[in-house]
Amino acid sequence: GAVVSQHPSWVICKSGTSVKIECRSLDFQATTMFWYRQFPKQSLMLMATSNEGSKATYEQGVEKDKFLINHASLTLSTLTVTSAHPEDSSFYICSAPLAVRYQETQYFGPGTRLLVL
Amino acid sequence: QQQVKQSPQSLIVQKGGISIINCAYENTAFDYFPWYQQFPGKGPALLIAIRPDVSEKKEGRFTISFNKSAKQFSLHIMDSQPGDSATYFCAGFNTNAGKSTFGDGTTLTVKP
């Protein structure tokens, strides 16, 4: 099946530092990838759509200067949390759509746990 | 506006019982309805999905029932096992947009 990986799986950083999270599609190409944020016991909140070769599309209320997204290749998207603060602590998950048997659906990475001290 | 409503929020079932999770959607642009299973600390994994032109789909112990006119669909887990304990998300997928809208999730606990 389709595999999406994320790195790192968890990260602890000091307040004010920047953290980069990578999302890779391992066995397929993805012109589009999605970044979600998930708080404990809550649903997935779409933050932005990452587009290969062009600017990301951010959901309403998400600060584009805070959450920098780069989709440099057909298999890699990165999310950089700039000047991280404790309120940015969360579970970040990426996904990529893939057509299987003529039906496209989303496949998710394992997630990255971010803790900002 | 919540486009996909999921219930119940939590569910406790005895081993061997049937777990039922319900979802209702509003957006008629959805053309595919996947269910995801998520274990703590992991990303969601695609479990089973259905197209709106099908009323039921079964894969092993998991069955989706779909009612297009009512804009409702449900997940049935037969012979529920403790290993099924997880959070389940229903979703409406818009192929044109290439992305899903998720329900709020149901935390299932299967007691031995």
Side-chain angles (χ1 to χ4, degrees):
Chain A
V3 178
V4 176
S5 71
Q6 281 183 241
H7 178 80
S9 56
W10 59 271
V11 57
I12 301 174
C13 69
K14 292 182 179 180
S15 184
T17 61
S18 294
V19 175
K20 179 185 284 189
I21 303 170
E22 293 185 348
C23 177
R24 293 182 185 272
S25 55
L26 297 184
D27 50 2
F28 65 102
Q29 294 182 331
T31 56
T32 302
M33 290 184 178
F34 301 98
W35 286 96
Y36 292 84
R37 184 173 181 177
Q38 187 178 35
F39 292 103
K41 299 187 184 302
Q42 292 190 22
S43 190
L44 297 94
M45 183 190 80
L46 180 64
M47 299 174 64
T49 302
S50 171
N51 303 298
E52 190 268 336
S54 64
K55 291 183 179 180
T57 304
Y58 290 82
E59 297 297 305
Q60 191 172 8
V62 177
E63 299 176 59
K64 59 180 68 176
D65 295 330
K66 173 77 172 175
F67 299 99
L68 300 179
I69 291 173
N70 185 8
H71 197 145
S73 75
L74 289 172
T75 59
L76 173 64
S77 175
T78 60
L79 168 68
T80 301
V81 184
T82 62
S83 186
H85 291 282
E87 58 266 29
D88 298 325
S89 299
S90 190
F91 193 49
Y92 293 88
I93 311 171
C94 70
S95 76
L98 173 68
V100 176
R101 291 193 290 264
Y102 307 108
Q103 176 61 56
E104 188 174 89
T105 191
Q106 284 182 261
Y107 290 87
F108 287 86
T112 296
R113 177 79 57 191
L114 170 63
L115 177 61
V116 185
L117 301 177
Chain B
Q1 180 187 15
Q2 186 176 10
Q3 295 191 40
V4 180
K5 295 183 180 180
Q6 184 172 346
S7 62
Q9 186 176 14
S10 62
L11 180 62
I12 300 175
V13 174
Q14 289 294 129
K15 178 182 176 181
I18 302 173
S19 303
I20 302 175
I21 305 171
N22 301 298
C23 284
Y25 66 98
E26 299 169 6
N27 190 346
T28 55
F30 296 147
D31 53 5
Y32 194 54
F33 298 87
W35 284 88
Y36 291 88
Q37 180 188 56
Q38 185 179 29
F39 292 104
K42 304 294 183 183
L46 180 63
L47 184 65
I48 187 173
I50 196 168
R51 291 181 174 147
D53 55 348
V54 177
S55 60
E56 184 175 281
K57 183 175 181 181
K58 183 176 181 180
E59 289 184 359
R61 296 184 295 109
F62 301 92
T63 300
I64 301 178
S65 297
F66 191 86
N67 185 330
K68 187 175 182 178
S69 61
K71 297 183 188 173
Q72 296 175 347
F73 57 111
S74 60
L75 174 69
H76 295 233
I77 305 175
M78 311 301 287
D79 187 26
S80 299
Q81 300 296 312
D84 297 330
S85 297
T87 299
Y88 293 81
F89 293 96
C90 63
F93 185 76
N94 182 333
T95 300
N96 284 338
K99 61 184 179 181
S100 300
T101 300
F102 293 89
D104 286 340
T106 296
T107 301
L108 171 65
T109 303
V110 181
K111 290 187 174 293

